[in-house]
Amino acid sequence: MAIIIDESTKVVVQGLTGKEGQFHALRNRDYGTNVVAGTRPGKGGEEVSGIPIFDTVSQAVEATGANTSLIFVPPPFAADAVLEAAAAGVDVIVCITEGIPAQDEAKVFNYLKETMPDTMLIGPNCPGLISPGKSNVGIMPDSITAPGNIGVVSRSGTLTYQAVHELTTHGLGQTTCIGIGGDPVPGTTFIDVLALFQEDPDTKGIVMIGEIGGDAEEQAAEFIREHVTKPVAAYIAGVTAPKGKKMGHAGAIISGSKGTAAAKMEALQAVGVTVLDDPTMIGVAMKELLGS
């Protein structure tokens, strides 16, 4: 079983007429994802390779029954795109857009939490998610995935791919792979995804990729201590990041001793998580944890 998306997922792509939106939407459709619509104000009535374009998400939902949105609109308009999808009744919103102002992210997060708590926002600034063999809603390369029983959740886009590749190489397929993004205000957190993997009977092990900055990993460790009974392997990116140097990733903000790779690794190890020094060992470690 997959979490969040599966064969029944119907995707509307906001920004389908743009270069990136079109490339990934058609790639996902070729994979088997049910891409039912696109939106672009003023382009309603047109088509992109047979996919109908609507002026608004509400029109797309009404006409096609779309229940998931994939967003590729530019940063100044992305927050409004998320709110438009939520208002249209979309259950899951996957925002790929990078560079959204943090204050816009905070406004969207608070609005959804207060008025539409059942709407799931993944991202922004994330690679999306894939349930191998079922659906791909994002920009992840499907060729390195395989159906199986490992759940993957990651703040780092590139290392999501590394983790998936290592698992597949060692014969471990995945239930669902989710990149939650590394911005300071992500819609979906480690804890949200860990809870879903814990509830999923087909997920037998969990891989978690964290990175320096913030305290999401420390919070996840506390959740694992209380609620997760499945084996977890983790890697924290940024161990070798130089002190005092401003890093490019929006979420990589370290305050004193908090947010360091060492602090995160210590917190995870304290609750029984297998913490790795090398991401290429993820597949080997998970096989050992599962006794396979």
Side-chain angles (χ1 to χ4, degrees), residues 261-286:
K264 295 174 185 298
M265 294 168 72
E266 182 178 348
L268 290 166
Q269 287 171 333
V271 298
V273 172
T274 297
V275 180
L276 305 167
D277 295 324
D278 183 345
T280 65
M281 298 303 293
I282 288 172
V284 174
M286 185 51 70

PDB file of all heavy atoms in Angstrom, residues 261-286:
ATOM      1  N   ALA A 261      24.465  19.220  12.784  1.00  0.00           N
ATOM      2  CA  ALA A 261      24.361  17.810  12.415  1.00  0.00           C
ATOM      3  C   ALA A 261      24.605  16.927  13.630  1.00  0.00           C
ATOM      4  O   ALA A 261      23.913  15.922  13.835  1.00  0.00           O
ATOM      5  CB  ALA A 261      25.368  17.496  11.310  1.00  0.00           C
ATOM      6  N   ALA A 262      25.577  17.302  14.453  1.00  0.00           N
ATOM      7  CA  ALA A 262      25.899  16.488  15.632  1.00  0.00           C
ATOM      8  C   ALA A 262      24.709  16.396  16.584  1.00  0.00           C
ATOM      9  O   ALA A 262      24.403  15.322  17.116  1.00  0.00           O
ATOM     10  CB  ALA A 262      27.106  17.091  16.355  1.00  0.00           C
ATOM     11  N   ALA A 263      24.023  17.509  16.801  1.00  0.00           N
ATOM     12  CA  ALA A 263      22.873  17.515  17.706  1.00  0.00           C
ATOM     13  C   ALA A 263      21.743  16.641  17.174  1.00  0.00           C
ATOM     14  O   ALA A 263      21.086  15.917  17.927  1.00  0.00           O
ATOM     15  CB  ALA A 263      22.388  18.952  17.913  1.00  0.00           C
ATOM     16  N   LYS A 264      21.526  16.692  15.888  1.00  0.00           N
ATOM     17  CA  LYS A 264      20.456  15.894  15.275  1.00  0.00           C
ATOM     18  C   LYS A 264      20.805  14.407  15.328  1.00  0.00           C
ATOM     19  O   LYS A 264      19.948  13.558  15.622  1.00  0.00           O
ATOM     20  CB  LYS A 264      20.233  16.358  13.835  1.00  0.00           C
ATOM     21  CG  LYS A 264      19.721  17.786  13.731  1.00  0.00           C
ATOM     22  CD  LYS A 264      19.656  18.244  12.291  1.00  0.00           C
ATOM     23  CE  LYS A 264      19.273  19.710  12.203  1.00  0.00           C
ATOM     24  NZ  LYS A 264      17.965  20.013  12.755  1.00  0.00           N
ATOM     25  N   MET A 265      22.042  14.088  15.003  1.00  0.00           N
ATOM     26  CA  MET A 265      22.452  12.681  15.035  1.00  0.00           C
ATOM     27  C   MET A 265      22.347  12.124  16.454  1.00  0.00           C
ATOM     28  O   MET A 265      21.896  10.999  16.656  1.00  0.00           O
ATOM     29  CB  MET A 265      23.893  12.566  14.508  1.00  0.00           C
ATOM     30  CG  MET A 265      24.017  12.939  13.025  1.00  0.00           C
ATOM     31  SD  MET A 265      25.723  13.144  12.450  1.00  0.00           S
ATOM     32  CE  MET A 265      26.269  11.439  12.437  1.00  0.00           C
ATOM     33  N   GLU A 266      22.748  12.922  17.430  1.00  0.00           N
ATOM     34  CA  GLU A 266      22.678  12.468  18.824  1.00  0.00           C
ATOM     35  C   GLU A 266      21.224  12.230  19.241  1.00  0.00           C
ATOM     36  O   GLU A 266      20.906  11.235  19.904  1.00  0.00           O
ATOM     37  CB  GLU A 266      23.317  13.519  19.729  1.00  0.00           C
ATOM     38  CG  GLU A 266      23.352  13.127  21.190  1.00  0.00           C
ATOM     39  CD  GLU A 266      24.035  14.172  22.057  1.00  0.00           C
ATOM     40  OE1 GLU A 266      24.677  15.087  21.504  1.00  0.00           O
ATOM     41  OE2 GLU A 266      23.903  14.088  23.282  1.00  0.00           O
ATOM     42  N   ALA A 267      20.339  13.140  18.860  1.00  0.00           N
ATOM     43  CA  ALA A 267      18.922  13.005  19.224  1.00  0.00           C
ATOM     44  C   ALA A 267      18.310  11.747  18.607  1.00  0.00           C
ATOM     45  O   ALA A 267      17.539  11.029  19.261  1.00  0.00           O
ATOM     46  CB  ALA A 267      18.155  14.243  18.772  1.00  0.00           C
ATOM     47  N   LEU A 268      18.651  11.462  17.376  1.00  0.00           N
ATOM     48  CA  LEU A 268      18.092  10.287  16.693  1.00  0.00           C
ATOM     49  C   LEU A 268      18.681   8.991  17.262  1.00  0.00           C
ATOM     50  O   LEU A 268      17.966   8.008  17.471  1.00  0.00           O
ATOM     51  CB  LEU A 268      18.337  10.392  15.195  1.00  0.00           C
ATOM     52  CG  LEU A 268      17.513  11.482  14.482  1.00  0.00           C
ATOM     53  CD1 LEU A 268      18.067  11.758  13.089  1.00  0.00           C
ATOM     54  CD2 LEU A 268      16.044  11.082  14.395  1.00  0.00           C
ATOM     55  N   GLN A 269      19.975   8.998  17.494  1.00  0.00           N
ATOM     56  CA  GLN A 269      20.606   7.797  18.062  1.00  0.00           C
ATOM     57  C   GLN A 269      20.034   7.481  19.442  1.00  0.00           C
ATOM     58  O   GLN A 269      19.869   6.313  19.804  1.00  0.00           O
ATOM     59  CB  GLN A 269      22.116   8.005  18.147  1.00  0.00           C
ATOM     60  CG  GLN A 269      22.809   7.946  16.787  1.00  0.00           C
ATOM     61  CD  GLN A 269      24.272   8.365  16.853  1.00  0.00           C
ATOM     62  OE1 GLN A 269      24.656   9.143  17.726  1.00  0.00           O
ATOM     63  NE2 GLN A 269      25.075   7.861  15.933  1.00  0.00           N
ATOM     64  N   ALA A 270      19.688   8.512  20.185  1.00  0.00           N
ATOM     65  CA  ALA A 270      19.176   8.312  21.538  1.00  0.00           C
ATOM     66  C   ALA A 270      17.831   7.589  21.575  1.00  0.00           C
ATOM     67  O   ALA A 270      17.461   7.010  22.599  1.00  0.00           O
ATOM     68  CB  ALA A 270      19.049   9.663  22.245  1.00  0.00           C
ATOM     69  N   VAL A 271      17.102   7.635  20.458  1.00  0.00           N
ATOM     70  CA  VAL A 271      15.794   6.962  20.425  1.00  0.00           C
ATOM     71  C   VAL A 271      15.839   5.688  19.595  1.00  0.00           C
ATOM     72  O   VAL A 271      14.794   5.146  19.223  1.00  0.00           O
ATOM     73  CB  VAL A 271      14.699   7.909  19.899  1.00  0.00           C
ATOM     74  CG1 VAL A 271      14.558   9.099  20.827  1.00  0.00           C
ATOM     75  CG2 VAL A 271      14.980   8.366  18.474  1.00  0.00           C
ATOM     76  N   GLY A 272      17.047   5.208  19.296  1.00  0.00           N
ATOM     77  CA  GLY A 272      17.188   3.923  18.630  1.00  0.00           C
ATOM     78  C   GLY A 272      17.266   3.950  17.124  1.00  0.00           C
ATOM     79  O   GLY A 272      17.277   2.889  16.485  1.00  0.00           O
ATOM     80  N   VAL A 273      17.347   5.143  16.543  1.00  0.00           N
ATOM     81  CA  VAL A 273      17.477   5.231  15.085  1.00  0.00           C
ATOM     82  C   VAL A 273      18.909   4.886  14.678  1.00  0.00           C
ATOM     83  O   VAL A 273      19.868   5.287  15.359  1.00  0.00           O
ATOM     84  CB  VAL A 273      17.117   6.654  14.603  1.00  0.00           C
ATOM     85  CG1 VAL A 273      17.436   6.820  13.118  1.00  0.00           C
ATOM     86  CG2 VAL A 273      15.654   6.950  14.883  1.00  0.00           C
ATOM     87  N   THR A 274      19.058   4.142  13.597  1.00  0.00           N
ATOM     88  CA  THR A 274      20.385   3.847  13.056  1.00  0.00           C
ATOM     89  C   THR A 274      20.832   5.041  12.217  1.00  0.00           C
ATOM     90  O   THR A 274      20.285   5.302  11.143  1.00  0.00           O
ATOM     91  CB  THR A 274      20.349   2.578  12.182  1.00  0.00           C
ATOM     92  OG1 THR A 274      19.983   1.469  13.001  1.00  0.00           O
ATOM     93  CG2 THR A 274      21.708   2.313  11.545  1.00  0.00           C
ATOM     94  N   VAL A 275      21.795   5.787  12.726  1.00  0.00           N
ATOM     95  CA  VAL A 275      22.256   7.007  12.048  1.00  0.00           C
ATOM     96  C   VAL A 275      23.541   6.698  11.286  1.00  0.00           C
ATOM     97  O   VAL A 275      24.503   6.172  11.859  1.00  0.00           O
ATOM     98  CB  VAL A 275      22.495   8.142  13.060  1.00  0.00           C
ATOM     99  CG1 VAL A 275      22.978   9.402  12.329  1.00  0.00           C
ATOM    100  CG2 VAL A 275      21.214   8.434  13.835  1.00  0.00           C
ATOM    101  N   LEU A 276      23.555   7.045  10.025  1.00  0.00           N
ATOM    102  CA  LEU A 276      24.667   6.686   9.150  1.00  0.00           C
ATOM    103  C   LEU A 276      25.581   7.884   8.893  1.00  0.00           C
ATOM    104  O   LEU A 276      25.127   9.034   8.834  1.00  0.00           O
ATOM    105  CB  LEU A 276      24.113   6.163   7.820  1.00  0.00           C
ATOM    106  CG  LEU A 276      23.122   5.002   7.954  1.00  0.00           C
ATOM    107  CD1 LEU A 276      22.398   4.771   6.644  1.00  0.00           C
ATOM    108  CD2 LEU A 276      23.850   3.744   8.394  1.00  0.00           C
ATOM    109  N   ASP A 277      26.862   7.585   8.710  1.00  0.00           N
ATOM    110  CA  ASP A 277      27.825   8.629   8.352  1.00  0.00           C
ATOM    111  C   ASP A 277      27.954   8.780   6.847  1.00  0.00           C
ATOM    112  O   ASP A 277      28.553   9.751   6.375  1.00  0.00           O
ATOM    113  CB  ASP A 277      29.204   8.279   8.935  1.00  0.00           C
ATOM    114  CG  ASP A 277      29.197   8.283  10.451  1.00  0.00           C
ATOM    115  OD1 ASP A 277      28.500   9.134  11.030  1.00  0.00           O
ATOM    116  OD2 ASP A 277      29.886   7.430  11.041  1.00  0.00           O
ATOM    117  N   ASP A 278      27.421   7.807   6.107  1.00  0.00           N
ATOM    118  CA  ASP A 278      27.607   7.785   4.656  1.00  0.00           C
ATOM    119  C   ASP A 278      26.276   7.389   3.999  1.00  0.00           C
ATOM    120  O   ASP A 278      25.750   6.302   4.267  1.00  0.00           O
ATOM    121  CB  ASP A 278      28.685   6.750   4.315  1.00  0.00           C
ATOM    122  CG  ASP A 278      29.015   6.702   2.836  1.00  0.00           C
ATOM    123  OD1 ASP A 278      28.229   7.255   2.031  1.00  0.00           O
ATOM    124  OD2 ASP A 278      30.052   6.106   2.484  1.00  0.00           O
ATOM    125  N   PRO A 279      25.719   8.248   3.142  1.00  0.00           N
ATOM    126  CA  PRO A 279      24.421   7.922   2.541  1.00  0.00           C
ATOM    127  C   PRO A 279      24.456   6.702   1.630  1.00  0.00           C
ATOM    128  O   PRO A 279      23.414   6.116   1.353  1.00  0.00           O
ATOM    129  CB  PRO A 279      24.070   9.198   1.761  1.00  0.00           C
ATOM    130  CG  PRO A 279      25.373   9.868   1.505  1.00  0.00           C
ATOM    131  CD  PRO A 279      26.222   9.570   2.698  1.00  0.00           C
ATOM    132  N   THR A 280      25.644   6.327   1.180  1.00  0.00           N
ATOM    133  CA  THR A 280      25.713   5.143   0.314  1.00  0.00           C
ATOM    134  C   THR A 280      25.493   3.852   1.096  1.00  0.00           C
ATOM    135  O   THR A 280      25.389   2.778   0.510  1.00  0.00           O
ATOM    136  CB  THR A 280      27.080   5.057  -0.410  1.00  0.00           C
ATOM    137  OG1 THR A 280      28.113   4.846   0.558  1.00  0.00           O
ATOM    138  CG2 THR A 280      27.351   6.325  -1.197  1.00  0.00           C
ATOM    139  N   MET A 281      25.427   3.947   2.433  1.00  0.00           N
ATOM    140  CA  MET A 281      25.205   2.768   3.270  1.00  0.00           C
ATOM    141  C   MET A 281      23.731   2.574   3.635  1.00  0.00           C
ATOM    142  O   MET A 281      23.385   1.682   4.416  1.00  0.00           O
ATOM    143  CB  MET A 281      26.042   2.872   4.546  1.00  0.00           C
ATOM    144  CG  MET A 281      27.546   2.914   4.318  1.00  0.00           C
ATOM    145  SD  MET A 281      28.116   1.464   3.380  1.00  0.00           S
ATOM    146  CE  MET A 281      27.810   0.157   4.578  1.00  0.00           C
ATOM    147  N   ILE A 282      22.861   3.411   3.099  1.00  0.00           N
ATOM    148  CA  ILE A 282      21.444   3.345   3.466  1.00  0.00           C
ATOM    149  C   ILE A 282      20.836   1.981   3.127  1.00  0.00           C
ATOM    150  O   ILE A 282      20.129   1.381   3.942  1.00  0.00           O
ATOM    151  CB  ILE A 282      20.662   4.483   2.763  1.00  0.00           C
ATOM    152  CG1 ILE A 282      21.015   5.820   3.417  1.00  0.00           C
ATOM    153  CG2 ILE A 282      19.155   4.240   2.820  1.00  0.00           C
ATOM    154  CD1 ILE A 282      20.463   7.032   2.692  1.00  0.00           C
ATOM    155  N   GLY A 283      21.114   1.483   1.939  1.00  0.00           N
ATOM    156  CA  GLY A 283      20.555   0.191   1.544  1.00  0.00           C
ATOM    157  C   GLY A 283      21.060  -0.942   2.409  1.00  0.00           C
ATOM    158  O   GLY A 283      20.282  -1.793   2.866  1.00  0.00           O
ATOM    159  N   VAL A 284      22.364  -0.958   2.653  1.00  0.00           N
ATOM    160  CA  VAL A 284      22.967  -2.003   3.488  1.00  0.00           C
ATOM    161  C   VAL A 284      22.386  -1.960   4.896  1.00  0.00           C
ATOM    162  O   VAL A 284      22.016  -2.989   5.477  1.00  0.00           O
ATOM    163  CB  VAL A 284      24.496  -1.830   3.534  1.00  0.00           C
ATOM    164  CG1 VAL A 284      25.109  -2.814   4.524  1.00  0.00           C
ATOM    165  CG2 VAL A 284      25.097  -2.014   2.149  1.00  0.00           C
ATOM    166  N   ALA A 285      22.294  -0.746   5.449  1.00  0.00           N
ATOM    167  CA  ALA A 285      21.783  -0.600   6.816  1.00  0.00           C
ATOM    168  C   ALA A 285      20.339  -1.061   6.927  1.00  0.00           C
ATOM    169  O   ALA A 285      19.967  -1.740   7.892  1.00  0.00           O
ATOM    170  CB  ALA A 285      21.917   0.861   7.257  1.00  0.00           C
ATOM    171  N   MET A 286      19.522  -0.718   5.956  1.00  0.00           N
ATOM    172  CA  MET A 286      18.115  -1.107   6.042  1.00  0.00           C
ATOM    173  C   MET A 286      17.954  -2.613   5.895  1.00  0.00           C
ATOM    174  O   MET A 286      17.107  -3.225   6.565  1.00  0.00           O
ATOM    175  CB  MET A 286      17.306  -0.358   4.973  1.00  0.00           C
ATOM    176  CG  MET A 286      15.803  -0.603   5.054  1.00  0.00           C
ATOM    177  SD  MET A 286      15.080  -0.359   6.704  1.00  0.00           S
ATOM    178  CE  MET A 286      15.194   1.424   6.896  1.00  0.00           C
TER     179      MET A 286
END
